[in-house]
């Protein structure tokens, strides 16, 4: 990633490429991507969309707003650490439901992504989702294909209500 970006909607799984592709964190709406660039470092993580996701290039930020932006990112990182801890400990059903609660719009990620993020066997996740579907017939039976939509730089600075339309879709 060569530019600072912000997650507008959806969710990304951030992995370290190579080794075992272990998940290091989630990126949810409002999270910054590529923040390492502020320190002159290259990003080592790879983002994989869990559900339909829109990211926007972060345009110029006035100097007086940088501190607030970085403060929000620091708080977000702390919340994400707590979320990841809840995804890895406790009853299987609680872990899966915690992950689904973090995702917007009721979209289901791929079974393998849910299993990796919750540190559960895919069969365990499948059993839970099957039982959930039987109990709640309105849930889709197939996961929504994940994609990332990239918006122009100005969209990230205007906020959710004034977003500009996306200019490119990446599968």
């Amino acid at each position: 990633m060569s530019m600072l970006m912000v997650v507008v909607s959806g969710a990304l799984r951030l992995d370290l490429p190579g080794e075992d592709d272990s998940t290091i964190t989630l990126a949810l709406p409002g999270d910054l991507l590529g923040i390492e660039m502020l320190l002159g470092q290259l990003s080592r993580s790879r983002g994989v969309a869990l559900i339909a996701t829109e990211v926007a290039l972060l345009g110029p930020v006035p100097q007086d707003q940088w501190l607030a932006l970085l403060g929000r990112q620091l708080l977000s990182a702390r919340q994400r650490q707590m979320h990841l801890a809840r995804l890895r400990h406790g009853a299987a059903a609680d872990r899966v439901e915690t992950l689904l609660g973090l995702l917007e719009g009721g979209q289901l990620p791929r079974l393998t992504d849910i299993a990796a993020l919750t540190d559960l066997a895919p069969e365990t996740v499948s059993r839970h989702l099957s039982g959930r579907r039987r109990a709640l017939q309105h849930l889709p039976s197939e996961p929504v294909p994940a994609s990332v939509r990239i918006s122009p730089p100005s969209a990230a600075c205007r906020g959710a209500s004034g977003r500009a339309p996306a200019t490119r879709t990446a599968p």
Side-chain angles (χ1 to χ4, degrees):
M1 184 178 300
S2 61
M3 302 188 80
L4 195 59
M5 303 178 96
V6 64
V7 178
V8 177
S9 64
L12 294 169
R13 168 183 160 171
L14 301 178
D15 300 328
L16 287 174
E19 298 141 26
D20 62 354
D21 287 335
S22 57
T23 299
I24 54 173
T25 193
L26 291 174
L28 298 173
D31 288 346
L32 296 178
L33 303 172
I35 200 162
E36 300 89 343
M37 294 191 57
L38 296 175
L39 300 172
Q41 299 176 0
L42 294 177
S43 177
R44 293 185 39 216
S45 62
R46 173 188 66 189
V48 177
L50 293 172
I51 57 176
T53 300
E54 181 181 355
V55 297
L57 298 172
L58 190 64
V61 177
Q63 190 69 22
D64 62 335
Q65 293 180 16
W66 269 110
L67 186 57
L69 180 68
L70 293 176
R72 282 193 305 271
Q73 183 61 31
L74 185 61
L75 287 175
S76 176
R78 183 177 176 146
Q79 287 176 329
R80 208 68 63 239
Q81 287 174 333
M82 290 187 291
H83 291 146
L84 287 175
R86 288 178 39 216
L87 293 176
R88 301 277 175 156
H89 301 285
D94 293 341
R95 294 188 215 181
V96 173
E97 290 303 318
T98 296
L99 175 61
L100 297 180
L102 292 173
L103 305 177
E104 58 187 32
Q107 297 179 50
L108 289 177
R110 295 179 315 166
L111 181 72
T112 54
D113 286 328
I114 296 172
L117 287 164
T118 56
D119 198 26
L120 296 168
E123 298 82 8
T124 302
V125 174
S126 179
R127 279 191 301 274
H128 175 72
L129 292 178
S130 294
R132 189 178 198 260
R133 260 188 224 109
R134 284 189 298 274
L136 305 167
Q137 293 297 319
H138 69 278
L139 287 180
S141 61
E142 295 295 321
V144 174
S147 63
V148 176
R149 205 166 64 173
I150 300 175
S151 299
S154 59
C157 295
R158 282 190 252 161
S161 62
R163 269 190 303 218
T167 58
R168 183 173 60 157
T169 301

